[in-house]
Amino acid sequence: QFTPKKEDKFTFGLWTVANQGRDPFGDVVRPPLDPVRSVQKLSELGAWGVNFHDNDLIPFDATPTERDRILRDFKQALKDYEMVVPTATTNLFYHPAFKDGAFTAVDPSVRAFALQKTMRAIDLGVELGAKTYVFWGGREGVDSEASKNPIDAVKRMRDAINFLSEYVIDNGYDLRLALEPKPNEPRSDTYFPTIGHMLAFIYTLDHPDMIGLNPEVAHEHMSGLNFVHGIAQALEAGKLFHIDLNDQKGPRFDQDLRFGSESIKSMFFLVRLLENAGYDGPKHFDAHAYRTEDEEGVWDFAAGCMRTYNILRDKARRFDSDPAVQELLATINGGNSEHISWLEEVHNGYSKDLANKLKAANFNPKALGERGYQYEKLDQLAIEHILGVR
Ligand code: GLT
Ligand code: MN
Ligand code: MN
């Protein structure tokens, strides 16, 4: 029942399952994982596709012959295991050249190199079928505030995204760009730290229609924010182009934990929101297995992400179709009908007449203040659904 299927549109970054467990305090614990093997295993587990950074597939210093061989094998694997590449991105953070950022680096040569690398990576992504192109800022930020004028950084980022949008248009690519915010790490502070910052930035670009968001659970939780509300705002604006699902234990370093392994209640409401809003983009897991795991543990991790999503989807459906929940919600939202028609008029826009009517109306603040909302009852119903006793 919870077994993932292709139509669930679950995807994994090649970098997620191939994560070798390196952290600032310890070296790799797992051998490299061949992209072909990842495609095969993920397909067997029920995933729909894979995403990659240019260098997850083609090593930074690969020769043209190596590149051709890797590409040929990878395309064959996609075909053999019926997997797609809905999304691609650029690694603009690993090589030492990017230690001060990429599009916002102070060195103009670094900024130009970042554009070149991204255009080539866009070509590669499109060649493999990508329809969404992710931009995670990586090292776009500062350690010392003295190092850069933050207003210049915003302008440089805008120039880069505008340039690359034109590149996509000029080549006739069917590709949308998805910007991914993160508050910090690896830099002490990253520019465009949250969904809200990024959303505001999008509307200052030359081609806002083709630019949206790729929010990540862990990244908003690092700032102590409500991910569900951020996603709601992105959805409402038609800007949820992609999503990075994982988990995180509150505001600390980016943990990229297995989806739904920590914040079960928020993830329940997240899945409910995505499903009820009809989000039909890829559901991408950007997480990795604990450092304690061997390859078997990696597949346990991947299967767990997808299974938990489907369990939460099932629970959300049960919650929404529970008569006790429906009844309670109907009462809660009922309110006093005498004022409802006015609100409908407000929704349709301002008129002098309506403003005067509202100003002259008689409200009963005392009664409004005495109302009990029954949210304790409602929340307990949610908890009982999550805990599986209803
Ligand atoms: C890196 C980062 C992620 C981004 C990936 C895309 S790379 O793992 O932590 O949040 O989504 O660049
Ligand atoms: Mn991510
Ligand atoms: Mn992350």
Side-chain angles (χ1 to χ4, degrees):
Q1 175 195 2
F2 304 126
T3 310
K5 301 188 189 60
K6 296 279 176 197
E7 58 263 32
D8 293 329
K9 288 194 168 178
F10 291 134
T11 64
F12 286 82
L14 285 183
W15 69 91
T16 64
V17 287
N19 178 287
Q20 292 184 260
R22 188 189 281 112
D23 70 18
F25 302 95
D27 211 340
V28 303
V29 292
R30 290 186 283 267
L33 192 60
D34 191 274
V36 169
R37 171 137 181 93
S38 298
V39 168
Q40 178 202 343
K41 280 299 299 181
L42 287 170
S43 171
E44 286 169 11
L45 291 172
W48 173 63
V50 288
N51 310 326
F52 56 80
H53 299 88
D54 47 357
N55 303 134
D56 298 338
L57 189 61
I58 318 276
F60 189 86
D61 44 15
T63 65
T65 330
E66 282 165 349
R67 181 192 147 95
D68 290 349
R69 185 197 46 83
I70 293 169
L71 259 182
R72 200 188 50 230
D73 293 353
F74 187 68
K75 283 181 180 167
Q76 190 60 46
L78 291 172
K79 220 163 136 204
D80 291 349
Y81 303 109
E82 296 180 326
M83 290 278 274
V84 295
V85 173
T87 307
T89 183
T90 329
N91 188 321
L92 294 172
F93 44 87
Y94 198 83
H95 194 280
F98 300 119
K99 62 189 173 191
D100 185 43
F103 302 138
T104 63
V106 289
D107 190 326
S109 299
V110 174
R111 299 205 296 276
F113 176 49
L115 286 175
Q116 180 202 60
K117 193 170 190 289
T118 304
M119 287 188 288
R120 290 179 176 173
I122 287 177
D123 296 344
L124 175 68
V126 169
E127 184 183 340
L128 288 161
K131 296 275 184 282
T132 307
Y133 202 84
V134 163
F135 291 81
W136 168 57
R139 295 182 191 275
E140 311 290 7
V142 292
D143 305 306
S144 163
E145 203 57 58
S147 63
K148 284 171 211 166
N149 177 339
I151 290 181
D152 286 347
V154 174
K155 292 188 193 306
R156 284 172 179 162
M157 190 64 155
R158 180 181 300 118
D159 287 347
I161 301 295
N162 281 341
F163 184 88
L164 293 165
S165 306
E166 293 286 350
Y167 178 75
V168 167
I169 294 166
D170 188 29
N171 281 278
Y173 291 157
D174 175 18
L175 192 68
R176 300 196 298 175
L177 316 186
L179 313 182
E180 177 176 346
K182 183 173 180 180
N184 59 275
E185 197 199 18
R187 305 307 290 277
S188 333
D189 285 293
T190 312
Y191 299 125
F192 312 103
T194 67
I195 290 176
H197 291 82
M198 209 54 116
L199 199 51
F201 173 66
I202 288 174
Y203 296 104
T204 72
L205 297 167
D206 287 348
H207 300 284
D209 289 352
M210 63 188 285
I211 328 269
L213 293 168
N214 177 39
E216 174 174 314
V217 177
H219 297 178
E220 301 300 301
H221 284 195
M222 286 169 76
S223 301
L225 297 176
N226 182 321
F227 190 67
V228 180
H229 293 180
I231 291 300
Q233 208 180 332
L235 277 168
E236 205 273 338
K239 290 299 183 194
L240 191 69
F241 286 10
H242 203 263
I243 189 162
D244 275 1
L245 299 169
N246 59 13
D247 217 329
Q248 168 81 13
K249 300 186 193 189
R252 53 180 79 179
F253 69 97
D254 186 21
Q255 297 176 307
D256 295 335
L257 296 166
R258 190 178 75 258
F259 175 67
S261 59
E262 292 296 334
S263 338
I264 304 180
K265 192 177 182 185
S266 349
M267 293 307 103
F268 165 81
F269 284 109
L270 172 67
V271 170
R272 178 172 179 247
L273 175 70
L274 291 173
E275 295 294 322
N276 290 349
Y279 169 76
D280 74 343
K283 282 163 241 161
H284 175 240
F285 297 103
D286 185 9
H288 51 74
Y290 303 134
R291 191 165 182 268
T292 46
E293 304 308 291
D294 57 8
E295 192 184 318
E296 195 189 328
V298 169
W299 305 125
D300 291 340
F301 145 82
C305 287
M306 297 188 278
R307 192 172 159 79
T308 298
Y309 187 98
N310 283 352
I311 294 171
L312 290 174
R313 181 175 59 199
D314 180 64
K315 288 192 179 292
R317 283 180 188 153
R318 283 162 181 269
F319 176 76
D320 284 329
S321 55
D322 182 340
V325 172
Q326 289 176 351
E327 227 175 89
L328 203 46
L329 282 174
T331 318
I332 287 169
N333 288 305
N336 187 333
S337 55
E338 128 190 32
H339 300 303
I340 286 183
S341 60
W342 288 359
L343 287 184
E344 275 156 16
E345 287 183 60
V346 168
H347 178 70
N348 291 332
Y350 177 85
S351 76
K352 210 176 220 14
D353 191 40
L354 177 60
N356 287 335
K357 252 197 315 191
L358 276 172
K359 277 165 86 176
N362 270 323
F363 288 96
N364 186 346
K366 185 159 179 290
L368 294 179
E370 279 165 1
R371 180 183 167 186
Y373 282 80
Q374 306 193 65
Y375 290 168
E376 286 290 356
K377 216 174 275 171
L378 180 66
D379 194 80
Q380 182 64 20
L381 283 171
I383 289 295
E384 296 200 4
H385 274 282
I386 294 168
L387 294 179
V389 297
R390 277 190 80 88

